[in-house]
Amino acid sequence: MVLEPVYRILCKRGVFSMLLLFIVAVMVGGLLLHLNRMEKQQYHYKQHTEMLEMAYRAALHNHQMTTDIYLQDTIRQPAVLALFSRAWKSSESEKALLRRSLYAKLEDSYQSLWQYHLRQLHFHLPDGESFLRFYQPDHFGDKLFPVRPSVRIVNTEHRTVTGFEVGRTVEGFRYVAPLSWQGVPIGSVETSIPFRPLQSAMSEYAPDREYQFLVNAELVHDRLSPDFRFEYAQSAFSDAWLVENPARKSPDSARQLSAPALALAATLRNNTDVIRQMAAYQPFSVGLVQQGVGYVVSFLPVKEVTGGRGGYLVCYAKEPLVMTFKRGFLIELTAFVCLLSLLFWLLLRWRGSVAELAEQTARLQYDEVLLTQQERVEHEERTRISRELHDGIGQALHAVSLRLKLLLSGMNASQTEEREAVGQLINDLQNTTSELRNLVVSLRPLPLSGMQVDEAIRWMCRKLEKEAGLSLLLQITGEYADISDHCSLALFRTCQEGLQNIMKHAEAKRVQVLLQRQGDMIAMTIIDDGVGGAEPGKDGGLGLKIMQERVELAHGFVRIDSHKGQGTTLLVELPCR
């Protein structure tokens, strides 16, 4: 009850509405600043994602180049291929001898591969049977097609397959190539590297970043032997993604994340945006602040050789711009609120002076009324004078002109000097009549100014033809003395607007205006050879829209036929009264 009088005072003075507008402006401005910050952040985060993809592809390309060189220099040698080609059709005992011979032949070169981090060299027969694992030479004969899509693709489609894949005993980044001898497929060979070499290679490109590889849990459960599943543990992100077991100690084990990176991963576990984008298997980056330090965490999906979901490559990088974006937003928001506050104060000052201006406004309105009355009286007087000039002097001059023409027609051809004098008088009278009409037009604001609509249109067309340099053909048929003022004004204004549109937009060289009286209807057609393409209400079509409205108010209709490059035809029909 105590606040009610205050509320009424605020409403009466308009302060309440201004305060409400101020609050809405602060909210809208804050939202726009937030959206602008998000746009800049997303652009910068996208760069982080692209940098991660470039580093990953560069590291993987090094592995592929090393394998290409090894295959070309060592494996695809005639002696090796001839030896391996005999295994496909051999008995088990013969395969054992061939296996030992192949192992002995390539053992030294296999040891040299370790310096390039290539841990696996594996030969397969055309039916997908494992022939020789150099890292497990006693484990062979198992069928790989069901669990190794890369081996199946290479031996059925005879093309090289590279990429990430989970196998029966280990996951890795594979390079599987077909082998042939004398044009006949004899099987395939593969090399593989764990994540650790890729991690090391990417760290060389960016030493200040940490990398982690998440493996699709479904692939591990579907393909990996239960005896080897202990090598994986649940990731900090979700049960759907696994990481190498931190308890596993091996030269090939990936480097463990630092404490800040582990804290970042734990923080992102409940981030709904991260959960949504990982579920959609999209590349993305997010920024966050940990203990006053800005970080960007980037996620790059790594597809398996089949094109399905293989894993996620995650990069943790310090990024000072994260804090810069946050501080910049707060500074911009503070400056915006201060500016609005200043504007609000100025508006209050303005509202305080409204009462003082009210009296001045009333006085100005009174002066405007007097001025309007004066203009109305002046307009009526100008109209009266122009009408008297037209009906009085104009008619008298017209009568004199007719008499002089009769006089001229009655003279003999031999009266040369007299005929020239009368002709000169007729020309002078016509010039005087033209000047009188211009004077009548100048006295009245409306172009009709005591003329009939056909006379006004003829005057306007001739004037336009001289001023604009157009080739204008005017044809008028019928009587227009009994046309109503309303119809005359609408017809004249429509013609005027149509010709002005042609001058402004049509780029026409020739124009034709046809005015016809058909009983109680008047038809006017304006044709030009301009660029065409005119449509009411579009681009330059505002004038056409106004014409339509004016004609419709006079109970007529307008039809516009305009095609690009074919000029424009405007047809107007109006009732006479």
Side-chain angles (χ1 to χ4, degrees), residues 280-312:
Y281 205 53
Q282 296 292 324
F284 66 97
S285 295
V286 294
L288 65 163
V289 178
Q290 191 85 11
Q291 296 181 350
V293 180
Y295 293 89
V296 171
V297 183
S298 303
F299 295 78
L300 180 68
V302 177
K303 293 184 178 180
E304 213 211 6
V305 293
T306 58
R309 299 188 177 191
Y312 254 115

Side-chain angles (χ1 to χ4, degrees), residues 481-501:
D482 58 341
I483 304 300
S484 66
D485 292 341
H486 186 63
C487 174
S488 298
L489 184 59
L491 195 62
F492 180 84
R493 292 298 190 193
T494 303
C495 181
Q496 185 181 46
E497 189 68 39
L499 293 176
Q500 287 178 353
N501 275 347

Side-chain angles (χ1 to χ4, degrees), residues 337-353:
V337 172
C338 292
L339 182 62
L340 279 182
S341 300
L342 177 61
L343 181 61
F344 180 70
W345 178 76
L346 292 175
L347 287 175
L348 288 178
R349 291 286 303 272
W350 174 77
R351 293 291 296 182
S353 62

